[in-house]
Amino acid sequence: MRLAVIGDELDQDCGKVARTAAELGFDAVEIRSMDGTPPHLLTDDQLLRARAVLDEHGLANAGFAPPAFKIGVPGTDEELRAAADLLEDGCRRAALLGAPHVRIFSFYRDGDPDPVRAGRVAARVMSGLRLPVPLVVENGTRTNTPTLRHVLAFLDELGRDDVGILWDPGNSVFGGWDPAPFPADYEAGRAHIRHVHVKDPDSTRGYVRLGDGDLDWPAILRRLAGDGYGGFVSLETHWREGRRLTADERDNPWGEAFSDGGHAASVACMRILRGWADEAAPAGTGS
């Protein structure tokens, strides 16, 4: 497995993010917002500059994270077209970055999760689109797929073999849908996992420093290594010393206010994650 960090969890300055990631022995940066600009509004110049900065520091791009399908389930033709446009544009931007995938969601839910309906609508949105990079669907706190079991139902209805899973067990816990998503939820969907987000929830109250929350990340990392997982485990800290992120910051994680206090908190978590990954790596190999 390879270590990454979502850039704006550290800072809005891509150069500072890259220097920190390289110094701490990380392999990659996952791009979300930078320069105070949300990911879906980044200019081509910003994207190409980010790619150059990562190259300069010997870092890979671990993925691109626009808010694709992070909306209510579209119903009108206009809403379906808007969702398709955002997805197409996200893939175009990811290709400029050299990203291995684009993260998507399964639409915000109104009531209980309905992954089948969400998958059916997503299939309509994606019908006929030519997407230059693969997609991974995340199990999101407020979406129609808060657990991997929901994601599998979504994928069954979507009916595409070019969409994998972004597993974020912290979202399952924080959303209140599964206080222990490992190992059972992991077992259900592990064959489809292409990317992993790392953060540590304190039940449904918020996120804390790695190791202080509800998830046994050392055990998860050992299992990923033992199963031969070769993708990225990407730190999405969501913890700040002295404050909790607001609901709006969690839903729209970009800009200077979101990144405020993130550097110190993320560096602390990156060091912890680096140590766990080294311990999880099979003897004679790196993480």
Side-chain angles (χ1 to χ4, degrees), residues 225-247:
D227 286 344
Y229 174 72
F232 291 105
V233 289
S234 186
L235 177 68
E236 186 183 22
T237 321
H238 266 32
W239 166 63
R240 304 288 184 266
E241 295 178 341
R243 74 179 182 95
R244 289 190 187 272
L245 297 180
T246 66

Side-chain angles (χ1 to χ4, degrees), residues 167-266:
W167 184 41
D168 189 328
N171 284 344
S172 298
V173 176
F174 180 73
W177 282 91
D178 191 344
F182 178 81
D185 202 40
Y186 167 79
E187 289 283 359
R190 70 184 180 91
H192 302 280
I193 293 173
R194 302 290 179 266
H195 194 71
V196 177
H197 277 174
V198 179
K199 53 183 182 277
D200 212 350
D202 175 21
S203 185
T204 60
R205 290 178 287 273
Y207 292 95
V208 293
R209 186 182 64 174
L210 288 187
D212 292 344
D214 297 333
L215 289 171
D216 188 351
W217 275 109
I220 294 172
L221 294 171
R222 287 194 299 270
R223 181 60 187 276
L224 288 168
D227 286 344
Y229 174 72
F232 291 105
V233 289
S234 186
L235 177 68
E236 186 183 22
T237 321
H238 266 32
W239 166 63
R240 304 288 184 266
E241 295 178 341
R243 74 179 182 95
R244 289 190 187 272
L245 297 180
T246 66
D248 182 67
E249 287 172 328
R250 292 193 303 269
D251 283 347
N252 303 291
W254 46 68
E256 297 288 353
F258 172 79
S259 297
D260 183 39
H263 192 270
S266 291

Side-chain angles (χ1 to χ4, degrees), residues 266-279:
S266 291
V267 165
C269 291
M270 291 169 77
R271 288 181 170 140
I272 293 168
L273 181 57
R274 171 82 271 169
W276 288 344
D278 288 344
E279 291 173 0

Side-chain angles (χ1 to χ4, degrees), residues 91-121:
C91 288
R92 183 192 67 80
R93 293 168 189 272
L96 277 178
L97 282 166
H101 62 250
V102 166
R103 185 273 314 276
I104 67 172
F105 288 98
S106 55
F107 309 115
Y108 285 135
R109 66 179 182 267
D110 183 13
D112 289 339
D114 191 345
V116 172
R117 176 182 175 231
R120 187 178 304 127
V121 173

Side-chain angles (χ1 to χ4, degrees), residues 31-50:
I31 300 295
R32 197 162 54 195
S33 68
M34 54 182 283
D35 301 335
T37 307
H40 53 298
L41 299 179
L42 290 168
T43 66
D44 289 1
D45 284 346
Q46 286 174 304
L47 295 167
L48 292 172
R49 178 165 53 84

